[in-house]
């Protein structure tokens, strides 16, 4: 009985602390509302001396706290990565893709969708990495082909991207 009482008191303190942490980070309304609901359910369970239910609500509240932190980090990252991408981009297609990804990310920021925001940030980071990748295009083979339907002879070149150390870089190179 004493052990249960200590568990209830500890759980209540953790509920209070976790909610305070969430509120102090000024989260979007959806997070704040969910946190308040988990807190109130947890407090009710403590008052009804239902330790396992209170611990479940504490766990839900702690999960929300982690999501709020991730949301804030990712929201900031979107802006930084997008700025980096726009500084590196040279081609219009890549610029349009960056803008599309940025707008998509902004939608996830507005709806506080952490999972989708994380995916969107990862995609923007990959675009930034690809845009900043430096390599040399090396001719590794070529051949002539007759195109009878057009009545012309075409020359096809096979190329490979190679980094400064001579390592092959898997990449798609298209020229039409």
């Amino acid at each position: 009985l004493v052990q249960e009482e200590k568990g209830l008191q500890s759980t209540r303190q953790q509920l209070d602390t976790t909610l305070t942490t969430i509120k102090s980070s000024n989260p979007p309304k959806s997070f704040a509302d969910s946190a308040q609901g988990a807190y109130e359910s947890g407090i009710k369970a403590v008052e009804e001396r239902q330790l396992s239910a209170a611990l479940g609500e504490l766990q839900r509240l702690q999960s929300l706290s982690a999501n709020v932190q991730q949301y804030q980090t990712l929201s900031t990252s979107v802006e930084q990565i997008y700025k980096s991408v726009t500084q590196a981009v040279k081609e219009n297609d890549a610029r349009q893709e960056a803008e599309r990804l940025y707008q998509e990310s902004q939608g996830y920021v507005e709806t506080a969708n952490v999972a989708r925001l994380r995916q969107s940030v990862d995609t923007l980071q990959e675009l930034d990495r690809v845009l900043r990748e430096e390599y040399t295009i090396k001719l590794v083979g070529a051949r002539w082909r007759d195109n009878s339907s057009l009545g012309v002879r075409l020359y096809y070149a096979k190329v490979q991207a190679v980094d400064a150390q001579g390592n092959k870089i898997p990449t798609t190179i298209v020229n039409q």
Side-chain angles (χ1 to χ4, degrees), residues 72-135:
Q72 291 173 331
T73 300
L74 292 168
S75 298
T76 303
S77 295
V78 167
E79 298 300 327
Q80 293 169 345
I81 297 166
Y82 179 67
K83 182 178 180 181
S84 177
V85 167
T86 57
Q87 290 171 350
V89 72
K90 303 280 189 260
E91 300 291 326
N92 196 40
D93 287 348
R95 187 178 321 282
Q96 289 174 352
E97 177 67 4
E99 183 62 30
R100 184 192 68 74
L101 289 169
Y102 178 71
Q103 293 301 323
E104 180 180 282
S105 297
Q106 289 303 104
Y108 299 139
V109 167
E110 290 174 19
T111 60
N113 187 332
V114 175
R116 293 288 182 132
L117 181 57
R118 185 178 308 109
Q119 290 173 346
S120 190
V121 165
D122 289 347
T123 305
L124 263 173
Q125 284 176 323
E126 178 62 15
L127 178 60
D128 189 44
R129 185 194 65 75
V130 167
L131 289 172
R132 294 185 178 284
E133 192 171 57
E134 292 187 22
Y135 55 84

Coordinates of all heavy atoms in Angstrom, one line a residue, residues 72-135:
Q72 N 9.7 21.0 -33.1 CA 10.4 22.2 -33.1 C 11.7 22.1 -33.8 O 12.1 23.0 -34.6 CB 10.5 22.7 -31.7 CG 9.2 23.1 -31.1 CD 9.3 23.5 -29.6 OE1 10.1 22.9 -28.9 NE2 8.4 24.3 -29.2
T73 N 12.4 21.0 -33.6 CA 13.7 20.8 -34.3 C 13.5 20.7 -35.8 O 14.2 21.4 -36.6 CB 14.4 19.6 -33.8 OG1 14.6 19.7 -32.4 CG2 15.7 19.3 -34.5
L74 N 12.5 20.0 -36.2 CA 12.2 19.8 -37.7 C 11.7 21.0 -38.3 O 12.1 21.3 -39.4 CB 11.2 18.6 -37.9 CG 11.7 17.2 -37.5 CD1 10.6 16.2 -37.5 CD2 12.8 16.8 -38.5
S75 N 10.9 21.8 -37.6 CA 10.4 23.1 -38.2 C 11.5 24.0 -38.5 O 11.5 24.7 -39.5 CB 9.4 23.7 -37.2 OG 8.3 22.9 -36.9
T76 N 12.5 24.1 -37.6 CA 13.7 25.0 -37.8 C 14.5 24.4 -38.9 O 15.0 25.2 -39.8 CB 14.5 25.1 -36.5 OG1 13.6 25.5 -35.5 CG2 15.7 26.0 -36.7
S77 N 14.7 23.1 -39.0 CA 15.5 22.4 -40.0 C 15.0 22.7 -41.4 O 15.8 22.9 -42.3 CB 15.6 20.9 -39.8 OG 16.2 20.6 -38.6
V78 N 13.7 22.7 -41.6 CA 13.1 23.0 -42.9 C 13.6 24.3 -43.5 O 14.0 24.3 -44.6 CB 11.5 23.0 -42.8 CG1 10.9 23.5 -44.1 CG2 11.0 21.6 -42.6
E79 N 13.6 25.3 -42.7 CA 14.0 26.6 -43.2 C 15.5 26.6 -43.5 O 15.9 27.1 -44.5 CB 13.7 27.7 -42.1 CG 12.3 27.9 -41.8 CD 11.4 28.3 -42.9 OE1 11.9 29.0 -43.8 OE2 10.2 27.9 -43.0
Q80 N 16.3 26.0 -42.6 CA 17.8 26.0 -42.9 C 18.1 25.2 -44.1 O 18.9 25.6 -44.9 CB 18.5 25.4 -41.6 CG 18.4 26.3 -40.4 CD 18.8 25.6 -39.1 OE1 19.0 24.4 -39.1 NE2 19.0 26.4 -38.1
I81 N 17.5 24.0 -44.2 CA 17.8 23.1 -45.4 C 17.3 23.8 -46.7 O 18.0 23.8 -47.7 CB 17.2 21.7 -45.2 CG1 17.9 21.1 -43.9 CG2 17.5 20.9 -46.4 CD1 17.1 19.8 -43.5
Y82 N 16.1 24.4 -46.6 CA 15.6 25.0 -47.8 C 16.5 26.1 -48.3 O 16.8 26.3 -49.5 CB 14.2 25.5 -47.6 CG 13.6 26.2 -48.8 CD1 13.3 25.5 -50.0 CD2 13.4 27.5 -48.8 CE1 12.8 26.1 -51.1 CE2 12.8 28.2 -49.9 CZ 12.5 27.5 -51.0 OH 12.0 28.1 -52.1
K83 N 17.0 26.9 -47.4 CA 17.9 28.0 -47.7 C 19.2 27.4 -48.3 O 19.7 28.0 -49.3 CB 18.3 28.8 -46.4 CG 19.2 30.0 -46.7 CD 19.5 30.7 -45.4 CE 20.4 31.9 -45.7 NZ 20.7 32.7 -44.5
S84 N 19.7 26.3 -47.8 CA 20.9 25.7 -48.3 C 20.7 25.2 -49.7 O 21.5 25.4 -50.6 CB 21.4 24.5 -47.4 OG 22.5 23.9 -47.9
V85 N 19.5 24.6 -49.9 CA 19.2 24.1 -51.3 C 19.1 25.2 -52.3 O 19.6 25.1 -53.4 CB 17.9 23.2 -51.2 CG1 17.3 23.0 -52.6 CG2 18.1 21.9 -50.5
T86 N 18.4 26.3 -51.9 CA 18.2 27.4 -52.9 C 19.6 28.0 -53.2 O 19.7 28.6 -54.3 CB 17.3 28.4 -52.3 OG1 17.7 28.9 -51.1 CG2 15.9 27.9 -52.2
Q87 N 20.5 28.0 -52.3 CA 21.9 28.5 -52.6 C 22.6 27.6 -53.6 O 23.5 28.1 -54.3 CB 22.7 28.7 -51.3 CG 22.1 29.8 -50.5 CD 22.8 29.9 -49.1 OE1 23.5 29.0 -48.7 NE2 22.5 31.0 -48.4
A88 N 22.4 26.3 -53.5 CA 23.1 25.3 -54.3 C 22.5 25.1 -55.7 O 23.2 24.6 -56.6 CB 23.3 24.0 -53.6
V89 N 21.2 25.3 -55.8 CA 20.5 24.9 -57.0 C 20.8 25.7 -58.2 O 21.0 26.9 -58.1 CB 18.9 24.9 -56.8 CG1 18.4 26.3 -56.7 CG2 18.2 24.1 -57.8
K90 N 21.0 25.0 -59.3 CA 21.3 25.7 -60.6 C 20.3 25.5 -61.7 O 20.0 26.3 -62.5 CB 22.7 25.2 -61.1 CG 23.8 25.3 -60.2 CD 24.4 26.7 -60.2 CE 25.7 26.8 -59.4 NZ 25.6 27.3 -58.1
E91 N 19.7 24.3 -61.7 CA 18.7 23.9 -62.7 C 17.3 24.2 -62.3 O 17.0 24.1 -61.1 CB 18.8 22.4 -63.0 CG 20.2 22.0 -63.5 CD 20.5 22.5 -64.9 OE1 19.5 22.6 -65.7 OE2 21.7 22.8 -65.2
N92 N 16.5 24.6 -63.2 CA 15.1 25.0 -62.9 C 14.3 23.8 -62.4 O 13.5 24.0 -61.5 CB 14.4 25.6 -64.2 CG 13.1 26.3 -63.8 OD1 13.1 27.0 -62.8 ND2 12.1 26.1 -64.7
D93 N 14.5 22.6 -62.9 CA 13.8 21.4 -62.4 C 14.1 21.2 -60.9 O 13.2 20.9 -60.2 CB 14.2 20.2 -63.2 CG 13.6 20.2 -64.6 OD1 12.7 21.0 -64.9 OD2 14.0 19.3 -65.4
A94 N 15.3 21.3 -60.6 CA 15.7 21.1 -59.2 C 15.1 22.2 -58.3 O 14.7 22.0 -57.2 CB 17.2 21.1 -59.0
R95 N 15.1 23.4 -58.8 CA 14.5 24.5 -58.1 C 13.0 24.3 -57.9 O 12.5 24.5 -56.8 CB 14.7 25.8 -58.9 CG 14.3 27.1 -58.1 CD 14.5 28.4 -58.9 NE 15.8 28.4 -59.7 CZ 17.0 28.6 -59.2 NH1 17.1 28.8 -57.9 NH2 18.0 28.6 -60.0
Q96 N 12.3 23.8 -58.9 CA 10.9 23.5 -58.7 C 10.7 22.4 -57.7 O 9.7 22.4 -56.9 CB 10.3 23.1 -60.1 CG 10.1 24.3 -61.0 CD 9.7 24.0 -62.4 OE1 9.6 22.8 -62.7 NE2 9.4 25.0 -63.2
E97 N 11.5 21.3 -57.8 CA 11.4 20.2 -56.8 C 11.6 20.7 -55.4 O 10.9 20.3 -54.5 CB 12.4 19.1 -57.2 CG 12.4 18.0 -56.2 CD 11.1 17.1 -56.2 OE1 10.2 17.4 -57.0 OE2 11.1 16.2 -55.3
A98 N 12.6 21.6 -55.2 CA 12.9 22.2 -53.9 C 11.7 23.0 -53.4 O 11.3 22.8 -52.2 CB 14.2 23.0 -54.0
E99 N 11.1 23.7 -54.3 CA 10.0 24.5 -53.9 C 8.8 23.7 -53.5 O 8.1 23.9 -52.5 CB 9.6 25.5 -55.0 CG 8.4 26.4 -54.7 CD 8.7 27.4 -53.5 OE1 9.9 27.8 -53.3 OE2 7.7 27.7 -52.8
R100 N 8.6 22.6 -54.3 CA 7.5 21.7 -54.0 C 7.7 21.0 -52.6 O 6.8 20.9 -51.8 CB 7.4 20.6 -55.1 CG 6.2 19.6 -54.9 CD 6.3 18.4 -55.8 NE 7.4 17.5 -55.5 CZ 7.4 16.7 -54.4 NH1 6.4 16.6 -53.6 NH2 8.5 15.9 -54.2
L101 N 8.9 20.5 -52.4 CA 9.2 19.9 -51.1 C 9.1 20.9 -49.9 O 8.6 20.5 -48.8 CB 10.6 19.3 -51.1 CG 10.8 18.1 -52.0 CD1 12.3 17.8 -52.1 CD2 10.1 16.9 -51.4
Y102 N 9.5 22.1 -50.2 CA 9.4 23.1 -49.1 C 7.9 23.4 -48.8 O 7.5 23.5 -47.6 CB 10.1 24.4 -49.5 CG 9.9 25.5 -48.6 CD1 10.6 25.5 -47.3 CD2 9.1 26.7 -48.8 CE1 10.5 26.5 -46.4 CE2 9.0 27.7 -47.9 CZ 9.7 27.6 -46.7 OH 9.6 28.6 -45.8
Q103 N 7.1 23.6 -49.8 CA 5.6 23.8 -49.6 C 5.0 22.6 -48.9 O 4.2 22.8 -48.0 CB 4.9 24.1 -50.9 CG 5.3 25.4 -51.6 CD 5.1 26.6 -50.7 OE1 4.1 26.7 -50.0 NE2 6.0 27.6 -50.7
E104 N 5.4 21.4 -49.3 CA 4.9 20.2 -48.6 C 5.3 20.2 -47.1 O 4.4 20.0 -46.3 CB 5.5 19.0 -49.3 CG 5.0 17.7 -48.7 CD 5.7 16.5 -49.5 OE1 5.2 16.2 -50.6 OE2 6.7 16.0 -49.0
S105 N 6.5 20.6 -46.9 CA 7.0 20.6 -45.5 C 6.2 21.7 -44.7 O 5.9 21.4 -43.5 CB 8.5 21.0 -45.4 OG 9.2 20.0 -46.1
Q106 N 6.0 22.8 -45.3 CA 5.2 23.9 -44.6 C 3.8 23.4 -44.2 O 3.3 23.7 -43.2 CB 5.2 25.1 -45.4 CG 6.5 25.8 -45.6 CD 7.1 26.2 -44.2 OE1 8.0 25.6 -43.7 NE2 6.5 27.2 -43.6
G107 N 3.2 22.6 -45.1 CA 1.9 22.0 -44.8 C 2.0 21.1 -43.5 O 1.1 21.2 -42.7
Y108 N 3.0 20.3 -43.4 CA 3.2 19.5 -42.3 C 3.5 20.3 -41.0 O 3.1 19.9 -39.9 CB 4.3 18.4 -42.5 CG 3.9 17.5 -43.7 CD1 4.9 17.1 -44.6 CD2 2.6 17.0 -43.9 CE1 4.6 16.3 -45.7 CE2 2.3 16.2 -45.0 CZ 3.3 15.8 -45.9 OH 3.0 15.0 -46.9
V109 N 4.2 21.4 -41.2 CA 4.5 22.3 -40.0 C 3.1 22.8 -39.5 O 2.9 22.8 -38.3 CB 5.4 23.4 -40.4 CG1 5.4 24.5 -39.3 CG2 6.8 22.9 -40.6
E110 N 2.3 23.3 -40.4 CA 1.0 23.9 -40.1 C 0.1 22.9 -39.4 O -0.7 23.2 -38.5 CB 0.3 24.5 -41.3 CG 1.0 25.7 -41.8 CD 0.4 26.2 -43.1 OE1 -0.7 25.9 -43.4 OE2 1.1 27.0 -43.8
T111 N 0.1 21.6 -39.8 CA -0.8 20.6 -39.3 C -0.1 19.8 -38.1 O -0.7 18.9 -37.5 CB -1.2 19.6 -40.3 OG1 -0.1 18.9 -40.9 CG2 -2.0 20.2 -41.4
A112 N 1.2 20.2 -37.8 CA 1.9 19.5 -36.7 C 2.0 18.0 -36.9 O 1.9 17.2 -36.0 CB 1.4 19.9 -35.4
N113 N 2.2 17.6 -38.2 CA 2.3 16.2 -38.5 C 3.8 15.8 -38.5 O 4.6 15.9 -39.4 CB 1.8 15.9 -39.9 CG 1.7 14.4 -40.2 OD1 2.5 13.6 -39.8 ND2 0.8 14.1 -41.1
V114 N 4.3 15.4 -37.3 CA 5.7 15.1 -37.1 C 6.3 14.0 -38.0 O 7.4 14.2 -38.5 CB 6.0 14.8 -35.6 CG1 7.4 14.4 -35.4 CG2 5.6 16.0 -34.7
A115 N 5.6 12.9 -38.1 CA 6.1 11.8 -39.0 C 6.3 12.3 -40.4 O 7.3 12.0 -41.0 CB 5.1 10.6 -38.9
R116 N 5.3 12.9 -41.0 CA 5.4 13.4 -42.4 C 6.4 14.5 -42.5 O 7.2 14.6 -43.5 CB 4.1 13.9 -42.9 CG 3.0 12.8 -43.0 CD 3.4 11.9 -44.2 NE 2.4 10.9 -44.4 CZ 1.8 10.6 -45.5 NH1 2.2 11.2 -46.6 NH2 0.9 9.7 -45.6
L117 N 6.5 15.4 -41.5 CA 7.5 16.4 -41.5 C 8.9 15.8 -41.5 O 9.8 16.3 -42.2 CB 7.3 17.4 -40.3 CG 8.2 18.6 -40.2 CD1 8.2 19.4 -41.4 CD2 7.9 19.4 -38.9
R118 N 9.1 14.8 -40.7 CA 10.4 14.1 -40.6 C 10.8 13.6 -42.0 O 11.9 13.8 -42.5 CB 10.4 13.0 -39.6 CG 11.8 12.4 -39.4 CD 11.8 11.3 -38.3 NE 11.2 11.7 -37.1 CZ 10.0 11.3 -36.6 NH1 9.3 10.5 -37.3 NH2 9.6 11.8 -35.5
Q119 N 9.8 12.9 -42.7 CA 10.1 12.4 -44.0 C 10.4 13.5 -45.0 O 11.3 13.4 -45.8 CB 8.9 11.6 -44.5 CG 8.6 10.3 -43.8 CD 7.3 9.7 -44.2 OE1 6.5 10.3 -44.8 NE2 7.1 8.4 -43.8
S120 N 9.7 14.6 -44.9 CA 9.9 15.7 -45.8 C 11.2 16.4 -45.6 O 11.9 16.7 -46.6 CB 8.7 16.7 -45.6 OG 8.8 17.7 -46.6
V121 N 11.6 16.5 -44.4 CA 13.0 17.1 -44.0 C 14.0 16.1 -44.6 O 15.0 16.6 -45.2 CB 13.1 17.3 -42.5 CG1 14.6 17.5 -42.1 CG2 12.3 18.5 -42.1
D122 N 13.9 14.8 -44.4 CA 14.9 13.9 -44.9 C 15.0 14.0 -46.4 O 16.1 13.9 -47.0 CB 14.5 12.4 -44.6 CG 14.6 12.1 -43.1 OD1 15.3 12.9 -42.4 OD2 14.1 11.1 -42.6
T123 N 13.9 14.2 -47.1 CA 13.9 14.3 -48.6 C 14.6 15.6 -49.0 O 15.4 15.6 -49.9 CB 12.5 14.2 -49.2 OG1 11.8 13.0 -48.7 CG2 12.5 14.3 -50.7
L124 N 14.3 16.7 -48.3 CA 15.0 17.9 -48.6 C 16.5 17.8 -48.3 O 17.3 18.3 -49.1 CB 14.4 19.1 -47.7 CG 13.4 20.0 -48.3 CD1 12.8 20.9 -47.2 CD2 13.9 20.7 -49.5
Q125 N 16.9 17.1 -47.2 CA 18.3 16.9 -46.9 C 19.0 16.1 -48.0 O 20.1 16.4 -48.4 CB 18.5 16.2 -45.6 CG 18.3 17.1 -44.4 CD 18.4 16.3 -43.1 OE1 17.9 15.2 -43.0 NE2 18.9 17.0 -42.1
E126 N 18.3 15.1 -48.5 CA 18.9 14.3 -49.6 C 19.1 15.2 -50.9 O 20.1 15.1 -51.6 CB 18.0 13.1 -49.9 CG 18.5 12.2 -51.1 CD 19.8 11.6 -50.9 OE1 20.3 11.6 -49.7 OE2 20.4 11.1 -51.9
L127 N 18.1 16.0 -51.2 CA 18.2 16.9 -52.3 C 19.4 17.8 -52.1 O 20.2 18.0 -53.1 CB 16.9 17.7 -52.5 CG 16.9 18.7 -53.7 CD1 17.2 18.0 -55.0 CD2 15.6 19.5 -53.7
D128 N 19.6 18.4 -51.0 CA 20.7 19.2 -50.7 C 22.0 18.5 -50.8 O 23.0 19.0 -51.4 CB 20.6 19.8 -49.2 CG 21.6 20.9 -48.9 OD1 21.8 21.8 -49.8 OD2 22.2 20.8 -47.8
R129 N 22.1 17.3 -50.3 CA 23.3 16.5 -50.5 C 23.6 16.2 -52.0 O 24.8 16.4 -52.4 CB 23.1 15.1 -49.8 CG 24.4 14.3 -49.8 CD 24.2 12.8 -49.4 NE 23.3 12.1 -50.4 CZ 23.7 11.7 -51.5 NH1 24.9 11.9 -52.0 NH2 22.9 11.0 -52.3
V130 N 22.6 15.9 -52.7 CA 22.8 15.6 -54.2 C 23.3 16.9 -54.9 O 24.2 16.8 -55.7 CB 21.6 15.0 -54.8 CG1 21.6 15.0 -56.3 CG2 21.3 13.6 -54.3
L131 N 22.7 18.0 -54.6 CA 23.0 19.2 -55.2 C 24.5 19.7 -54.9 O 25.1 20.3 -55.7 CB 22.0 20.3 -54.8 CG 20.6 20.2 -55.4 CD1 19.7 21.3 -54.8 CD2 20.7 20.4 -56.9
R132 N 24.9 19.3 -53.7 CA 26.3 19.7 -53.3 C 27.3 18.7 -53.6 O 28.5 18.9 -53.4 CB 26.3 20.0 -51.8 CG 25.4 21.3 -51.5 CD 25.4 21.7 -50.1 NE 24.6 22.9 -49.9 CZ 25.0 24.1 -50.3 NH1 26.1 24.3 -50.9 NH2 24.2 25.1 -50.1
E133 N 26.9 17.6 -54.1 CA 27.9 16.5 -54.5 C 28.7 16.9 -55.6 O 28.2 17.4 -56.6 CB 27.1 15.2 -54.8 CG 27.8 14.0 -54.9 CD 26.9 12.8 -55.0 OE1 26.1 12.7 -56.0 OE2 27.0 11.9 -54.2
E134 N 30.0 16.7 -55.5 CA 30.9 17.1 -56.6 C 31.5 15.8 -57.2 O 31.9 14.9 -56.5 CB 32.1 18.0 -56.0 CG 31.6 19.3 -55.6 CD 32.7 20.2 -55.2 OE1 33.9 20.0 -55.7 OE2 32.5 21.2 -54.5
Y135 N 31.5 15.8 -58.5 CA 32.0 14.6 -59.3 C 32.3 15.1 -60.7 O 31.9 16.1 -61.2 CB 31.0 13.5 -59.3 CG 29.6 13.8 -59.8 CD1 29.3 13.8 -61.2 CD2 28.6 14.1 -58.9 CE1 28.1 14.1 -61.6 CE2 27.3 14.4 -59.4 CZ 27.1 14.4 -60.7 OH 25.8 14.7 -61.2

